[in-house]
Amino acid sequence: MLQEDEGYYFGLGAFETIAVEQGKPVFLEAHYARLQRALEFFHLSVEFEEIQKNVQRALAEKQMQTGRKVLKVAVSQKNITVSTRENKYQEKDYAEGFSASYAKVKRNETSPFTYHKTFNYGDCILEKRRAMADGIQEPVFLNTRGEIAEGATSNVFFVKDGQIVAPPLSSGMLPGIMRQYLYENYEIQEQIILPEQVTEFQEMFLTNSLLGIMPVRQLEGFVFPRMEVGHMLLEEYRRRYCN
């Protein structure tokens, strides 16, 4: 039973959503490290070994041993919860690519909450619901300076003449685990990206732990001419971690 604490009342808690492929959690240690940073940010004195024990119990469940699953860990001062579910993304999503649009609210690049995966997730959820009601899979946030920052549940990347391009962390975003994977394995060029510059790029793709790498077909009214690099990166990631 959940206990009342500042996580419940004020959102002072953190969570991680972890892909589990054929029984194996992907980038588990990186998720633990990011969760630990968030708990330190909130000054939460939680026994991390207890979190790990709960995670291992969930991973040992029979239904987690096959297929594409999701493990979610949420932690506040008095609560540790671990839940599991199916990974809902289908092959047709990757083949067709996502449709994206700009969110109605701004991402606050001055807030420390922007850079941690916390219970303060209301903007993302509400904007995601609004977009999906309009047939859009992912809203993209601009920051208070009008720069492209991140998706509601993803980091954003573009491709220009074969070069992968990404907004810098200073534009305001959660530094994603899949974003980290790309930075460690590929050459990424960082630059501030404004909406009027989007037509300069041939591709766009999104990353998060559950999507992996998702090509974007369209952002607002602009249709990207290609999705080749996104698909190539996805296949390389799958060969390494999803078999």
Side-chain angles (χ1 to χ4, degrees):
M1 183 175 178
L2 291 177
Q3 301 183 63
E4 296 178 356
D5 61 11
E6 290 187 325
Y8 176 83
Y9 286 117
F10 307 119
L12 302 187
F15 73 99
E16 289 292 323
T17 309
I18 302 161
V20 181
E21 301 284 351
Q22 305 301 324
K24 294 182 285 189
V26 183
F27 302 134
L28 180 59
E29 293 306 316
H31 282 285
Y32 278 156
R34 187 171 66 176
L35 178 60
Q36 185 70 63
R37 290 193 296 271
L39 298 181
E40 291 172 358
F41 165 67
F42 282 128
H43 302 289
L44 298 181
S45 55
V46 179
E47 288 292 335
F48 209 82
E49 287 186 1
E50 188 63 28
I51 298 172
Q52 293 171 310
K53 289 178 183 177
N54 288 357
V55 167
Q56 291 305 315
R57 279 195 291 268
L59 288 172
E61 295 176 3
K62 184 176 179 180
Q63 69 269 20
M64 295 296 289
Q65 302 311 306
T66 58
R68 305 185 67 225
K69 301 299 194 301
V70 178
L71 185 146
K72 184 174 182 177
V73 185
V75 183
S76 60
Q77 183 60 67
K78 295 182 180 180
N79 298 284
I80 300 171
T81 64
V82 178
S83 60
T84 61
R85 58 181 171 85
E86 298 285 331
N87 191 331
K88 64 182 180 179
Y89 296 109
Q90 305 295 320
E91 285 305 311
K92 68 175 184 177
D93 296 320
Y94 298 95
E96 296 174 359
F98 268 13
S99 180
S101 65
Y102 294 116
K104 301 299 183 184
V105 300
K106 303 296 184 185
R107 177 62 80 231
N108 181 5
E109 75 280 0
T110 71
S111 171
F113 289 97
T114 296
Y115 304 93
H116 297 281
K117 199 173 183 72
T118 77
F119 292 178
N120 291 264
Y121 214 64
D123 280 349
C124 297
I125 296 299
L126 293 179
E127 284 299 301
K128 185 84 168 180
R129 289 176 181 173
R130 181 194 62 77
M132 293 184 70
D134 293 333
I136 303 296
Q137 285 95 353
E138 183 75 342
V140 173
F141 285 97
L142 306 179
N143 66 18
T144 64
R145 300 188 295 260
E147 305 162 1
I148 291 176
E150 64 176 341
T153 60
S154 63
N155 290 124
V156 301
F157 293 83
F158 296 88
V159 179
K160 184 175 183 179
D161 300 328
Q163 173 66 57
I164 304 171
V165 181
L169 190 63
S170 60
S171 288
M173 71 190 72
L174 175 72
I177 302 301
M178 281 299 301
R179 178 181 183 271
Q180 179 179 322
Y181 158 78
L182 288 178
Y183 271 70
E184 290 175 352
N185 290 279
Y186 301 93
E187 180 184 348
I188 310 295
Q189 176 182 314
E190 289 192 342
Q191 71 175 65
I192 291 171
I193 304 172
L194 303 174
E196 56 265 30
Q197 296 173 307
V198 166
T199 56
E200 301 174 7
F201 298 97
Q202 292 90 42
E203 294 189 41
M204 176 181 176
F205 59 87
L206 308 171
T207 65
N208 72 27
S209 293
L210 303 189
L211 286 173
I213 298 164
M214 176 64 71
V216 173
R217 177 182 70 256
Q218 179 175 346
L219 175 58
E220 293 285 340
F222 181 66
V223 178
F224 293 93
R226 296 199 294 270
M227 296 191 292
E228 296 169 4
V229 174
H231 281 134
M232 178 196 72
L233 294 172
L234 174 65
E235 290 308 309
E236 290 180 357
Y237 162 71
R238 284 176 166 177
R239 282 198 298 270
R240 293 179 180 182
Y241 296 102
C242 301
N243 295 324

